[in-house]
Amino acid sequence: MTQFIDCLIIGGGQAGLAMSRSLLDAGIENVVLERGSIANRWRTARWPSLRLLTPGWMTRLPGQQLAGREEGFLRAGDLAARLQDYAAGQGLPVIEKIDVLALEKLGDRFRAVTSRGSWIARSVVVATGACDRPRIPSWGRDLSPSLYQIASTQYRGAEQLPQGGVLVVGASATGVQLGSEIAASGRKTILAAGSHVRSPRRYRGRDLFDWLDASGFLAEPNATGRSPAQLMAQPSMQLIGSDDNREIDLYSLARRGVIIAGHASGALGSVVGFADDLARSLGLGERRRQRMLSQIDAFIGSAGIDAPEDPAARQNTGLLMPMNGAIDLAGHGISTVLWATGYRRDYSWIHFDACDADGELRQEGGLCDTPGLYVLGLPFMRHRASSFIDGVGRDAEALAPVIAARLGASDTLQAA
Ligand SMILES: Cc1cc2nc3c(=O)[nH]c(=O)nc-3n(C[C@H](O)[C@H](O)[C@H](O)COP(=O)(O)OP(=O)(O)OC[C@H]3O[C@@H](n4cnc5c(N)ncnc54)[C@H](O)[C@@H]3O)c2cc1C
């Protein structure tokens, strides 16, 4: 069976839902196709102990009034339930358990071939997220089969890993959180750290995100001249959401027994090479932190806000004895390699020329160079918060009138 629609939205995460709501506001008939359930990745590709990095008030989506300013950090499952409620409460046209297997061009229209029939659409919004597949370095293939390899998307708790120690590769938010959890379970833990951003949980009396939001930092447009692949390779901030607002960084992990190494650069069997670059990565991570704090200080000064000084956040008295060189993991009792090395996109289901040489959609602020094709929810798409729950709504609201203008709000496909 073939169905017709003005705008087809592929993906029922926060981006797809925000887009649907914004298009309804603009009078555009749309449908959201989701291969699993609403908020599928928050339910199936995140670990059970995960709490959001962003405070509760940063879960605003278009048309949603939050009751008061919610502090604290939601669990992934709670967020999924909220997104489900949002879709129901806003009456969004979401169809679940329908997989878009292929998207084709059909003249100036699109045909989506799905696991349950086809859709013809005048416009399509790709809202499939930035986390289709774990990005695992190619040298992972050179690791001995005796080492158990697992991506962060599959990790469900330290108790489910084979006996023995764990090498965590990656030192952004995911790597430091999982390294901390695994070390706390009593296992020997090595963390291979590359590029990262050391970030305070709180600064000058408030949560970091309060300042980043109020100062306009999150709304800053992208630096120009960077390719989509470069923008998406930016490391996330080293942060954890917890009731005690604790800070997490490589120094605090080292104090808790985690062995910190330079970035893991290759392998042969059970021997992994760690680069002698930790001091450089730490230096860069520190500079990024200081830059961010200076920007917040400047905002506090210019806005005349009375906020206590926080000299401790500016200091770094930590010391690290990095591990580097070629290390035999088996000899160190390590049985698992956990990849926290980020994600890549998979647009293999788009059957026309829409991607660049890196496999990223060719787009500018969500407008692809194929007329009628749009994308939403990619990191740094329009600003720093484009992939955040709280930022995607702004992008959806900005794209909706563009899509509407192209379609002509009253000129539906069926009427045409
Ligand atoms: C570990 C982790 C923690 C994060 N923590 C935070 C946080 O604290 N705060 C914050 O603001 N952001 C956070 N983010 C970033 C961002 O909010 C999430 O990545 C979020 O899931 C992005 O939402 P999305 O709707 O863009 O994409 P997704 O949630 O990935 O949704 C895409 C949807 O598309 C569906 N789909 C994909 N392909 C198809 C297809 N072919 N056919 C049909 N359906 C398809 C998927 O099933 C999925 O449901 C985090 C990200 C990660 C990875």
Side-chain angles (χ1 to χ4, degrees):
M1 189 178 67
T2 298
Q3 299 187 70
F4 298 86
I5 194 78
D6 274 343
C7 186
L8 189 68
I9 301 168
I10 305 175
Q14 69 224 18
L17 301 183
M19 191 72 247
S20 177
R21 161 70 207 227
S22 302
L23 285 172
L24 290 179
D25 282 350
I28 300 298
E29 183 197 25
N30 68 84
V31 68
V32 181
L33 304 186
E34 165 55 53
R35 63 156 61 119
S37 303
I38 287 171
N40 196 35
R41 294 229 167 92
W42 287 110
R43 298 175 199 278
T44 63
R46 314 266 143 88
W47 56 98
S49 60
L50 175 69
R51 295 189 56 183
L52 296 191
L53 307 175
T54 44
W57 59 265
M58 285 187 73
T59 54
R60 301 170 290 198
L61 287 175
Q64 200 180 32
Q65 295 298 322
L66 294 182
R69 194 175 171 86
E70 185 183 2
E71 307 296 337
F73 305 95
L74 290 176
R75 293 188 183 281
D78 296 334
L79 175 66
R82 281 200 188 184
L83 292 176
Q84 184 95 43
D85 290 348
Y86 175 74
Q90 304 284 330
L92 303 182
V94 183
I95 305 178
E96 295 174 292
K97 313 268 183 286
I98 180 166
D99 202 352
V100 176
L101 306 171
L103 185 69
E104 299 161 350
K105 273 298 274 161
L106 207 65
D108 61 353
R109 294 177 181 179
F110 299 88
R111 174 167 54 204
V113 179
T114 81
S115 50
R116 288 193 274 143
S118 296
W119 286 81
I120 307 277
R122 295 169 69 200
S123 57
V124 170
V125 180
V126 177
T128 51
C131 307
D132 287 322
R133 305 253 179 273
R135 179 183 291 280
I136 296 178
S138 54
W139 57 261
R141 287 195 293 270
D142 303 329
L143 279 168
S144 162
S146 64
L147 288 163
Y148 177 68
Q149 296 188 48
I150 182 171
S152 60
T153 48
Q154 303 162 300
Y155 172 84
R156 294 293 174 267
E159 68 287 352
Q160 297 192 353
L161 300 177
Q163 290 289 311
V166 180
L167 165 65
V168 179
V169 185
S172 284
T174 297
V176 293
Q177 287 181 35
L178 297 187
S180 168
E181 175 167 308
I182 291 165
S185 76
R187 288 170 189 256
K188 181 170 187 173
T189 309
I190 302 175
L191 189 138
S195 184
H196 61 268
V197 191
R198 195 169 86 85
S199 312
R201 180 70 269 179
R202 292 183 70 78
Y203 184 58
R204 299 188 67 174
R206 294 200 203 166
D207 188 80
L208 177 66
F209 276 104
D210 289 8
W211 292 125
L212 297 181
D213 182 58
S215 65
F217 180 91
L218 292 176
E220 273 175 16
N222 294 326
T224 48
R226 295 206 181 150
S227 71
Q230 285 170 324
L231 286 171
M232 275 183 277
Q234 305 256 339
S236 64
M237 291 187 273
Q238 284 176 338
L239 281 174
I240 186 166
S242 67
D243 292 333
D244 59 4
N245 289 312
R246 70 179 177 278
E247 188 162 327
I248 192 166
D249 62 14
L250 297 179
Y251 304 100
S252 62
L253 290 182
R255 283 195 295 277
R256 296 173 53 208
V258 177
I259 300 164
I260 309 293
H263 99 268
S265 54
L268 192 61
S270 68
V271 176
V272 171
F274 296 99
D276 186 12
D277 61 358
L278 187 63
R280 185 174 171 278
S281 299
L282 288 168
L284 266 173
E286 195 58 35
R287 278 202 290 285
R288 289 180 177 128
R289 175 188 179 104
Q290 298 299 334
R291 237 190 347 255
M292 184 162 62
L293 298 187
S294 296
Q295 226 167 313
I296 294 172
D297 287 342
F299 165 71
I300 291 173
S302 65
I305 297 171
D306 184 17
E309 294 292 331
D310 193 349
R314 286 292 197 161
Q315 282 163 13
N316 178 13
T317 49
L319 255 185
L320 276 181
M321 294 298 290
M323 189 176 87
N324 53 43
I327 308 290
D328 181 13
L329 297 184
H332 277 72
I334 302 293
S335 56
T336 298
V337 176
L338 171 55
W339 300 106
T341 34
Y343 306 88
R344 63 183 177 81
R345 272 58 52 203
D346 177 1
Y347 299 122
S348 54
W349 48 275
I350 299 183
H351 291 183
F352 50 88
D353 178 25
C355 294
D356 65 16
D358 298 311
E360 304 292 355
L361 281 171
R362 291 190 303 269
Q363 58 88 23
E364 196 70 52
L367 280 78
C368 296
D369 62 6
T370 304
L373 185 69
Y374 307 88
V375 58
L376 189 68
L378 296 180
F380 301 97
M381 207 183 80
R382 286 176 166 248
H383 49 77
R384 288 182 191 272
S386 280
S387 64
F388 287 3
I389 307 154
D390 199 54
V392 74
R394 257 178 286 151
D395 288 359
E397 285 166 344
L399 270 187
V402 178
I403 299 173
R406 184 167 187 282
L407 290 173
S410 59
D411 179 19
T412 68
L413 181 66
Q414 278 161 313

